[in-house]
Amino acid sequence: MGIRLRLSRQTLDILEALLARPSQWHYGYAISRQTGISSGTLYPVLMRLDRSGWLETRWEETPPPGRPPRHLYRLTGNGREWAREELRAARQSEFWKPAASEA
Amino acid sequence: MAPSQPLPRHFARSALELALRFWPEESRDWGQALAAELDEIERPLDALVWAFGGLMLFTRASAAHVLTWLKLPAGSRPPIASLLPGTNPPIFPKRSRLFTAMVLITTAAVLVLPQSREAIATVRESWTGYQTSSSDLRTLEKLAARAEKQKDARTLAFVALNLPESERATLLADRAVALDPSLTWIYASRVDSRNFSQLTKERLARLLASDPNNAFAQLIAVQAVYEPRYYALFCRHTPTEQETEAAVTGDPDWPVHMDLAFRAPRYDSYFDHDWQLTREVWNHEPSLSASLLFRSLAKHSLPDFLSINMYSNRLMRSAEEAFRAGDEERAESLLGKVDSFGRMMLDQAETDVERYEGLSISRKAADTLGDLYLRAGQTGQAAKARQRLQEINSRRDALFRSFRSMNSPHSRKLKSMAFLVHFSTVFAVLLVLATAFSLLALELQPEKPANLIFRFRRAICLTVDWAPGALLAAFIALLWAFQPFANILRSARSVESASEVWHTMRFEGLFTLSTILNPFLSVFTGYNFWLSFLCALVALVLFLIVRGFLRHKHT
């Protein structure tokens, strides 16, 4: 196992939000509202996760008339495992606390 | 009709739409994803904050795009567009844009150095024969404006001496003399056939009044008398000897002024005054071009040799007649007058050509006297005249020896440096053109398939790889090769004697730069210019061929 780079708090918050309903597709604004992270921080994280292969994306198939299609995100299978591992490591090192307390 | 949006939402939408227009292609879909969320945001201020985040993302994406672009070679783009199936990828230069940009920026930094600007300006001026450039004219007009404001007579005089347009120059000369009458000599400095008409009777009278005991002033007066007539004659046809003599000596004022010149106790062609003035202004204005310096040394007035020789011959003829008539005393006196004028020129002139003229007429006078005594059988007197002749000859030999040899090791080295200066500049110009053309060809037609312009594209890529570095090397070589000439220019500022600085410039190399580099001065110098141009062109082509061949061998 190589050196683990510590993820930022914002990235961990985003991973937690995506893991809340892991099989569901999430909108960008919804993630932003859930985590309180602004678009300028959120989208670079999503882009990095996408480049790393942890995130899958798609466009809305039937957008409402008069509106452009929205982009949807969810973690891939590997991405979920990786995200769980990262969150666990972060909790253990007391670097990060989940937004909602876990059972 | 669509409901009007609140201003913050309208602004947010417009800002994101504008950003999307310029968004880098490789991440534009993320920009669109962000913008698509705008309609879901209820509060207009939240929409504005969302859009602001989008603009931050746009800035980061653009910066990343530029950085990626810089790391790629010229003509290539970040890998987004797919190639047409079946086509070969076009070849690109090996060096990245960043590398090329850094080398070109370093080259620009070298060019901005004062030493570089001096070198390039001097070489450029040498190519045009040190004519007054438009930047010289602007500098002179600026100096004139400042000098008029500050009532600086000497700077006004300097500008008057250097302006090519004679009416304006004369106007400024009048102003300078009005402010400082001791500058009246400027009327006589740098007169030639083009501006003699400006030397009016009034100005001439002022000159003669200010310096009545100067032989040179009388010689200028003589020339002003016959110059228009002689010039008109010369325009019609090449005059015969008799016509020339008639034109020159025909005016009744001519013998009067010549007599005064030959009796004058002083000879001063104002060369030293001219140089002191130039040096004074040049030390205050270090950015003055080398052309102005050369012109101050090369354009100063020379005396009227035609009149000097004609009057000397006239006196010698009168001496012969007097001798034949038995009036030896008068003959000796007339020849002595010629000899002493020659001695005065030899001892007091600032340039070798004037000294040589003085020696020549003294020699003629001594030779004539010797002949006359010999014919009369007066061997004793003839021997004295011969002794005088020997004295003159040894002074002439000393004058020739004082010319520092044009073939000394130092002069030869300067000639080599001058050639290298020339070669570097020409090479640099060719490289600038080659680099600019190659970069534009690659950047403006990056998607051109290799099989269409394969041969040229290879040469173009090679040029982009090597030309910027070679350009930097060429400018550094130019700076290095110009150093001796820069040192000569610098040291000239501290030399007080006009004669010494003329000697230095003539034989120590600065004129080497001007004569060797001036392509239009003579066939010889033109040969040097075109030879170095040809060498530079051949070097560039050879490099492309050899390098291209080696690259082809490796692939």
Side-chain angles (χ1 to χ4, degrees):
Chain A
M1 195 174 164
I3 297 170
R4 170 183 260 128
L5 289 176
R6 199 171 70 180
L7 300 177
S8 65
R9 286 197 167 88
Q10 290 85 351
T11 306
L12 292 166
D13 285 342
I14 292 166
L15 289 177
E16 194 200 22
L18 288 167
L19 276 175
R21 286 181 294 280
S23 56
Q24 209 172 325
W25 289 97
H26 303 259
Y27 290 110
Y29 184 55
I31 300 172
S32 172
R33 282 185 67 173
Q34 202 175 334
T35 58
I37 294 170
S38 68
S39 57
T41 307
L42 171 67
Y43 278 84
V45 171
L46 292 175
M47 287 164 76
R48 262 200 305 278
L49 292 174
D50 178 47
R51 270 199 301 271
S52 304
W54 303 133
L55 195 72
E56 54 182 328
T57 68
R58 70 175 177 91
W59 291 97
E60 207 174 31
E61 280 165 11
T62 48
R67 285 193 180 179
R70 296 171 72 183
H71 214 206
L72 293 145
Y73 315 99
R74 74 176 180 191
L75 291 168
T76 60
N78 289 340
R80 286 172 215 156
E81 279 180 40
W82 169 79
R84 286 190 190 103
E85 184 57 39
E86 288 297 330
L87 287 169
R88 190 172 47 246
R91 268 186 229 117
Q92 277 175 359
S93 67
E94 295 181 0
F95 169 64
W96 173 83
K97 282 191 183 129
S101 54
E102 283 191 343
Chain B
M1 192 171 167
S4 63
Q5 297 177 30
L7 196 60
R9 187 180 294 280
H10 175 75
F11 182 76
R13 190 177 302 283
S14 304
L16 284 176
E17 280 170 6
L18 185 64
L20 279 170
R21 243 190 263 165
F22 299 104
W23 209 289
E25 211 178 319
E26 61 267 21
S27 59
R28 189 174 293 140
D29 49 353
W30 287 97
Q32 286 165 340
L34 189 148
E37 299 297 293
L38 210 58
D39 291 324
E40 303 306 316
I41 302 171
E42 288 167 10
R43 291 173 57 199
L45 279 176
D46 288 347
L48 194 62
V49 170
W50 185 263
F52 181 73
L55 292 177
M56 300 293 290
L57 187 67
F58 165 70
T59 309
R60 287 174 70 157
S62 302
H65 175 77
V66 167
L67 207 60
T68 309
W69 183 81
L70 281 173
K71 286 180 189 169
L72 294 172
S76 62
R77 286 182 183 171
I80 291 294
S82 58
L83 296 168
L84 293 170
T87 57
N88 292 324
I91 58 170
F92 294 107
K94 279 185 183 171
R95 319 239 190 267
S96 68
R97 285 187 183 93
L98 187 62
F99 176 86
T100 304
M102 293 308 296
V103 172
L104 291 175
I105 287 169
T106 308
T107 306
V110 167
L111 282 180
V112 158
L113 293 172
Q115 297 91 323
S116 300
R117 283 187 281 148
E118 184 187 44
I120 291 166
T122 307
V123 172
R124 195 188 67 228
E125 287 161 20
S126 75
W127 289 354
T128 59
Y130 297 103
Q131 299 301 313
T132 315
S133 64
S134 47
S135 71
D136 278 347
L137 283 175
R138 281 195 299 273
T139 307
L140 289 171
E141 289 297 344
K142 258 192 236 169
L143 281 177
R146 201 174 67 203
E148 293 211 65
K149 225 190 222 178
Q150 295 172 355
K151 306 255 186 289
D152 181 355
R154 291 184 70 77
T155 305
L156 271 178
F158 172 81
V159 175
L161 287 171
N162 285 282
L163 276 180
E165 198 262 297
S166 32
E167 273 186 38
R168 171 109 174 98
T170 313
L171 195 68
L172 288 176
D174 286 343
R175 287 219 190 105
V177 170
L179 284 169
D180 183 356
S182 70
L183 290 169
T184 311
W185 60 267
I186 63 175
Y187 289 140
S189 197
R190 309 202 203 177
V191 284
D192 58 25
S193 55
R194 286 167 297 178
N195 59 13
F196 241 111
S197 55
Q198 300 297 323
L199 194 57
T200 57
K201 281 195 175 139
E202 193 208 9
R203 291 187 183 109
L204 200 54
R206 246 190 274 171
L207 174 70
L208 291 171
S210 73
D211 204 0
N213 294 325
N214 184 2
F216 186 79
Q218 300 295 337
L219 292 169
I220 290 290
V222 155
Q223 203 172 350
V225 160
Y226 78 75
E227 181 73 25
R229 202 167 49 240
Y230 181 69
Y231 189 68
L233 176 69
F234 206 84
C235 284
R236 289 200 298 270
H237 63 271
T238 309
T240 62
E241 211 173 299
Q242 290 78 16
E243 282 173 328
T244 303
E245 189 157 354
V248 171
T249 65
D251 198 285
D253 287 340
W254 185 84
V256 173
H257 284 300
M258 288 311 296
D259 186 55
L260 286 169
F262 270 60
R263 285 181 198 282
R266 265 179 58 242
Y267 179 89
D268 181 1
S269 62
Y270 306 120
F271 185 26
D272 212 46
H273 289 69
D274 194 330
W275 169 243
Q276 295 309 327
L277 187 65
T278 299
R279 204 172 132 250
E280 200 177 290
V281 175
W282 192 29
N283 280 322
H284 277 122
E285 305 287 332
S287 60
L288 283 179
S289 72
S291 298
L292 292 175
L293 169 66
F294 292 146
R295 277 201 293 280
S296 80
L297 295 171
K299 293 283 183 189
H300 78 283
S301 304
L302 285 174
D304 179 16
F305 292 130
L306 197 57
S307 290
I308 292 172
N309 287 321
M310 282 184 181
Y311 192 70
S312 305
N313 290 340
R314 187 183 277 200
L315 289 178
M316 286 191 286
R317 279 198 299 272
S318 301
E320 283 188 7
E321 282 164 15
F323 198 88
R324 276 199 293 275
D327 193 350
E328 286 174 20
E329 205 177 307
R330 179 166 157 71
E332 258 193 63
S333 161
L334 287 169
L335 291 171
K337 198 169 167 184
V338 175
D339 185 26
S340 66
F341 181 79
R343 273 191 227 232
M344 184 173 64
M345 279 189 80
L346 176 64
D347 292 336
Q348 297 179 29
E350 293 288 344
T351 66
D352 290 330
V353 66
E354 289 165 291
R355 290 187 194 117
Y356 189 75
E357 173 68 9
L359 273 172
S360 290
I361 58 171
S362 285
R363 195 173 187 283
K364 272 195 280 188
D367 201 26
T368 305
L369 192 62
D371 274 345
L372 288 175
Y373 279 129
L374 214 57
R375 270 191 264 148
Q378 297 182 34
T379 49
Q381 297 289 10
K384 272 190 200 166
R386 287 278 169 260
Q387 202 177 358
R388 171 68 189 134
L389 192 61
Q390 271 167 18
E391 198 184 294
I392 292 166
N393 285 340
S394 63
R395 291 228 31 200
R396 187 186 62 178
D397 293 341
L399 184 64
F400 284 155
R401 273 196 305 274
S402 76
F403 295 167
R404 288 175 212 167
S405 171
M406 289 293 277
N407 286 321
S408 69
H410 181 65
S411 289
R412 279 201 297 273
K413 189 187 170 194
L414 282 173
K415 277 186 200 168
S416 312
M417 296 304 263
F419 187 81
L420 185 59
V421 165
H422 214 171
F423 177 82
S424 307
T425 313
V426 171
F427 199 45
V429 169
L430 288 174
L431 285 170
V432 164
L433 295 172
T435 306
F437 171 77
S438 303
L439 283 173
L440 283 173
L442 283 177
E443 295 294 357
L444 294 180
Q445 292 193 28
E447 305 303 331
K448 199 102 180 178
N451 54 359
L452 277 184
I453 51 166
F454 181 76
R455 281 198 201 92
F456 293 117
R457 193 176 176 94
R458 189 180 281 274
I460 285 168
C461 290
L462 206 59
T463 305
V464 169
D465 278 335
W466 291 100
L471 181 63
L472 177 61
F475 278 125
I476 291 173
L478 167 63
L479 261 185
W480 175 75
F482 191 76
Q483 265 317 294
F485 303 101
N487 291 338
I488 291 171
L489 274 174
R490 239 190 317 276
S491 68
R493 288 173 196 268
S494 59
V495 174
E496 289 192 4
S497 154
S499 176
E500 193 185 325
V501 81
W502 187 86
H503 231 253
T504 304
M505 294 298 187
R506 177 77 175 83
F507 297 111
E508 286 297 308
L510 204 57
F511 278 165
T512 303
L513 188 72
S514 64
T515 54
I516 292 294
L517 295 191
N518 184 343
F520 310 112
L521 193 61
S522 74
V523 171
F524 174 72
T525 56
Y527 166 80
N528 268 293
F529 171 83
W530 293 112
L531 180 65
S532 66
F533 180 82
L534 201 62
C535 288
L537 199 59
V538 166
L540 196 61
V541 169
L542 268 176
F543 173 77
L544 285 175
I545 292 170
V546 169
R547 193 72 186 85
F549 173 72
L550 284 173
R551 213 182 193 183
H552 178 72
K553 241 182 130 184
H554 283 138
T555 54

